[in-house]
Amino acid sequence: MKSRSSVILCTLALGLTSTSAQASNYPPDYDMCSLTETLYSGPFEVIRDFVDPWDQHYKLTIAYDGYLRDDYADDEINLYVSLNGHDAMLEAFPGAYDDAYVLLDSGPRGCYWCPNGPHAPDYCDDVTFEPYQSGKWLCSEPTAVEQHLFYWAFDGLGGLNAWDIELAAEAGGEWDSDYGNNFAVRFEPRSCW
């Protein structure tokens, strides 16, 4: 009898734990994992941030610190990025770590809460709520370029593929590449933990 009551108490405790976790109402851009991986190739540092792997939400930061920065401002540099064969030319931004960078995000960002009620802020005027819904998160979604680049980042079941990334930098018609090839890194698929 003692072991059966222990099992029942354990089952009840697990049920309470999962109920409270579901009721947390974290914003969709909340970093559930906090794992990052960093790879280097030539003048590039590439950082993959596991924001919410269960919802296919990752950030990819590409920082460039090559010789084009000697003659061009960071915002005059363009970065060529290919992720598993889908590519784009992206304008770089001045980075906080003396580099030019781009940040790509596969999921929602800039989320804010819209409460359902008589004193809701003006930005919630056009929001439609479900019956008995106390409010909802409103977020910006990935751009068309981000959707294109992350297209092959995941398999058909939502799992993480290996990421083969090719990189080059361009400014004023000059290229910083690996002797005519692209610099390359590869992130292997892995779990958050």
Side-chain angles (χ1 to χ4, degrees), residues 25-32 51-52 55 57 105 107-113 136-141:
N25 198 24
Y26 288 113
D29 59 352
Y30 181 78
D31 195 336
M32 303 294 265
V51 178
D52 187 355
D55 199 23
H57 189 178
D105 195 330
R109 77 291 306 263
C111 299
Y112 58 93
W113 180 252
K136 66 169 54 174
W137 289 104
L138 300 179
C139 307
S140 297
E141 294 299 324

Side-chain angles (χ1 to χ4, degrees), residues 32 40 43 67 89 149 177 180:
M32 303 294 265
Y40 300 90
Y67 68 84
M89 191 66 112
L149 284 171
S177 61

Side-chain angles (χ1 to χ4, degrees), residues 7-160:
V7 169
I8 292 172
L9 286 174
C10 185
T11 304
L12 284 172
L14 287 173
L16 290 174
T17 303
S18 64
T19 302
S20 62
Q22 290 174 352
S24 62
N25 198 24
Y26 288 113
D29 59 352
Y30 181 78
D31 195 336
M32 303 294 265
C33 180
S34 300
L35 175 68
T36 60
E37 297 176 302
T38 305
L39 297 174
Y40 300 90
S41 182
F44 290 96
E45 177 182 18
V46 185
I47 304 165
R48 178 168 70 173
D49 180 8
F50 292 62
V51 178
D52 187 355
W54 302 277
D55 199 23
Q56 297 182 347
H57 189 178
Y58 293 80
K59 291 181 184 176
L60 184 65
T61 304
I62 300 162
Y64 170 73
D65 192 20
Y67 68 84
L68 291 177
R69 295 185 67 241
D70 295 338
D71 297 324
Y72 298 94
D74 291 338
D75 60 359
E76 296 176 320
I77 296 173
N78 300 299
L79 301 182
Y80 169 80
V81 179
S82 173
L83 196 162
N84 292 349
H86 277 213
D87 61 354
M89 191 66 112
L90 307 167
E91 294 180 22
F93 295 95
Y97 300 100
D98 193 30
D99 55 19
Y101 81 100
V102 295
L103 173 63
L104 302 164
D105 195 330
S106 70
R109 77 291 306 263
C111 299
Y112 58 93
W113 180 252
C114 256
N116 184 6
H119 303 292
D122 292 341
Y123 58 78
C124 298
D125 286 346
D126 295 329
V127 176
T128 304
F129 297 96
E130 300 294 324
Y132 309 109
Q133 188 176 20
S134 64
K136 66 169 54 174
W137 289 104
L138 300 179
C139 307
S140 297
E141 294 299 324
T143 66
V145 170
E146 288 170 322
Q147 290 174 14
H148 172 73
L149 284 171
F150 284 107
Y151 186 81
W152 292 112
F154 312 100
D155 64 26
L157 300 174
L160 189 61

